[in-house]
Amino acid sequence: MSSPATLPDRVVPDRVVRNRIGGDLLDASDGATFERRNPANRAVVVSVAPESAAADVAAAVDAAEQAAVAWRRSTPTRRAEILSAAARILDGRAAELAAEMVAEAGKPLADATNEASRTPRNLELYAGEAYRLTGATFPSDDTPLVYSVLDPVGVVGVITPWNFPLNMASRKIAPALAAGNTVVFKPSPMTPLMGDRLAEAFAEAGLPPGVLNVVHGFAAGALLVADERVAAITFTGATATGRSIHAAMGLGRRVQLELGGKNPVVVLADADLDAAATVVARSSFSLSGQACTGAGRILVDEVVHDALVERVRALAEAHVLGPGDRPGVTQGPLVDERAVRTMVDVVQQARADGATVVCGGEPRTGGALAAGNFFPPTVLTDVGPHSPLAQREVFGPVIGFERINGLDEALASANDVEYGLSAAICTRSISAAQRFAAEIQAGMVRVNRPTVGAAFNAPFGGIKQSGTGMHREQLGPTVMDFYTQLRTVWMGS
Ligand code: NAD
């Protein structure tokens, strides 16, 4: 930890991030900070942020409570105008935000640009929701008018991961604000700058002080969850973290968890193998395998196993590793050194369990990659269905092929994991695709499409240990259910 007075001289001044509490930019009450280094070059400090203590998180919840009274009375037009104005501000800064995301999160520039430009669309979508908080009327024998209205929930805690630092946070904060809630936002400590840039746009758009507060740090998430004044927590992150949050939330506080996955791609014998190889490679190596919907298990009919492995190996080896802002780079670094060590351990364990490394398997440290967290696309075969590689989320570019014989075996094996987030099948058979879509245990199913990707207006989430199974309340037409509570009124004359 360093104090702001001793910042490393490589930090650009406007990348010193502060908490945003009640409209003020504040250091942690005890002055503690943490650094975020560029995952492609660990010598460079990209951002420095406060390591918030209990008093800081409590102050943010105080501010959100105080601002709640006026904000819940704000008109739909005011909410919509602020969200739309924030969208325009983010649109105007998309290139700058993408460049900062490359440095802080390690994404290739094309992926960062995609995220920076689609984030404002979330704000526009939820600006419209401010006008659609409709209730209903009910015929009644008792009284002439029975009706329901949608109220805000209160203070909403938003806790997000680093891998979609703008998009993920925006699709939680925007509906919360549109419904008249106030928010305490806890960005990932891997991407504090991105979290701050998002909140900055809302502030510049005219959001009143205290309606959106931001606290940074490694401990702030648990502190926010522990504060009983926070009426709802919307969380995206690892399953282990989600379990601890779920256990801490008692009766009367609502919680939405979107967690990890071990997402299968099933390739049947009748599949177009070139197309299937592309589906497998995109599912597995997009964002260096650091997508919640990324595939880890490739279940292939034994008839086409070797031919598919060969095609996927060629696509894996065609990836160009490097810093995300270098031309031609298709795969950036892993988020930190610990993630690289995890990949090394995963490969070592899989080999010990009898798997064969087809390509990759070791960190890349040569030349321009020396100071970064680089691990290449890695393909293993002969992976046992109950081995750790087949069962546990890896969150990196390491995949395991398993042989199956027909759809029954594929379904049985694919469902034999604790997760249920995303799943894909490659086949030319409509009936096989339909049966897979009906019987696979997953919140999202793709046919001849990669497991990754999302539509910003369609439900997104998982079942089993991949979340609370309430993804109809995360994206899509019923998303506002999470951010509102229903009041039924019997109106007498
Ligand atoms: P993480 O769980 O380590 O951290 C997520 C957030 O939770 C961070 O802001 C972190 O500081 C905070 N946090 C940590 N401990 C906490 C606690 N005890 N209480 C409250 N908050 C706490 O996850 P990560 O490494 O940032 O992200 C990777 C994980 O997220 C993967 O497992 C991935 O599958 C998952 N993910 C899921 C989805 C989805 O929609 N299902 C999307 C993206 C990522």
Side-chain angles (χ1 to χ4, degrees), residues 344-362:
V344 171
D345 291 347
V346 162
V347 172
Q348 204 172 33
Q349 170 79 56
R351 292 176 91 148
D353 291 340
T356 308
V357 178
V358 174
C359 65
E362 302 202 346

Side-chain angles (χ1 to χ4, degrees), residues 20-23 59-61 63-64 182-186 209-215:
R20 292 177 178 264
I21 300 177
V61 180
T182 55
V183 171
V184 179
F185 169 34
K186 213 300 282 177
V211 175
L212 171 60
N213 307 276
V214 188
V215 283

Side-chain angles (χ1 to χ4, degrees), residues 159-163 168 186-189 221-222 225 235-238 241 244-245 258-260 292 393 395 421 460:
I159 306 176
T160 49
W162 62 270
N163 61 341
M168 199 74 73
K186 213 300 282 177
S188 167
V225 170
F235 169 85
T236 300
T241 317
S244 77
I245 294 174
E258 292 301 339
L259 309 174
C292 57
E393 182 181 51
F395 216 59
L421 188 55
F460 180 97

Side-chain angles (χ1 to χ4, degrees), residues 5-211:
T6 58
L7 285 176
D9 55 13
R10 293 177 301 277
V11 181
V12 180
D14 79 339
R15 290 180 177 182
V16 177
V17 167
R18 298 205 156 78
N19 286 338
R20 292 177 178 264
I21 300 177
D24 295 324
L25 295 177
L26 299 172
D27 293 321
S29 45
D30 60 6
T33 61
F34 65 93
E35 295 175 354
R36 171 63 181 159
R37 287 171 183 264
N38 186 328
N41 181 357
R42 292 184 298 269
V44 176
V45 178
V46 176
S47 49
V48 176
E51 177 54 48
S52 305
D56 306 310
V57 176
V61 180
D62 287 347
E65 272 200 321
Q66 280 164 27
V69 181
W71 184 247
R72 67 181 284 149
R73 292 198 194 117
S74 60
T75 63
T77 297
R78 176 125 198 264
R79 295 178 200 168
E81 280 178 354
I82 290 172
L83 288 173
S84 302
R88 287 194 296 276
I89 291 167
L90 291 169
D91 267 329
R93 291 181 189 155
E96 191 186 324
L97 291 169
E100 289 176 343
M101 200 186 304
V102 169
E104 199 178 50
K107 291 194 180 195
L109 185 58
D111 292 324
T113 302
N114 181 31
E115 178 169 355
S117 34
R118 79 180 173 169
T119 295
R121 306 289 79 76
N122 289 333
L123 273 56
E124 286 167 352
L125 178 72
Y126 293 113
E129 289 297 333
Y131 292 99
R132 284 191 282 269
L133 298 170
T134 47
T137 58
F138 304 91
S140 165
D141 293 340
D142 297 339
T143 183
L145 178 60
V146 178
Y147 65 93
S148 64
V149 291
L150 295 178
D151 291 326
V153 173
V155 176
V156 174
V158 170
I159 306 176
T160 49
W162 62 270
N163 61 341
F164 292 94
L166 291 178
N167 182 44
M168 199 74 73
S170 70
R171 70 192 198 196
K172 295 175 185 290
I173 292 170
L177 297 180
N181 301 287
T182 55
V183 171
V184 179
F185 169 34
K186 213 300 282 177
S188 167
M190 305 296 170
T191 49
L193 181 64
M194 288 292 96
D196 188 63
R197 293 289 194 244
L198 185 62
E200 178 184 56
F202 281 104
E204 289 179 17
L207 194 68
V211 175

Side-chain angles (χ1 to χ4, degrees), residues 5 14 20 31 47 94 108 167 169 174 205 243 265 276 286 296 304 336 358 385 390 409 412 414 477 492:
D14 79 339
R20 292 177 178 264
S47 49
N167 182 44
R243 276 197 194 106
V265 178
S286 299
V304 291
D336 57 15
V358 174
E409 218 176 284

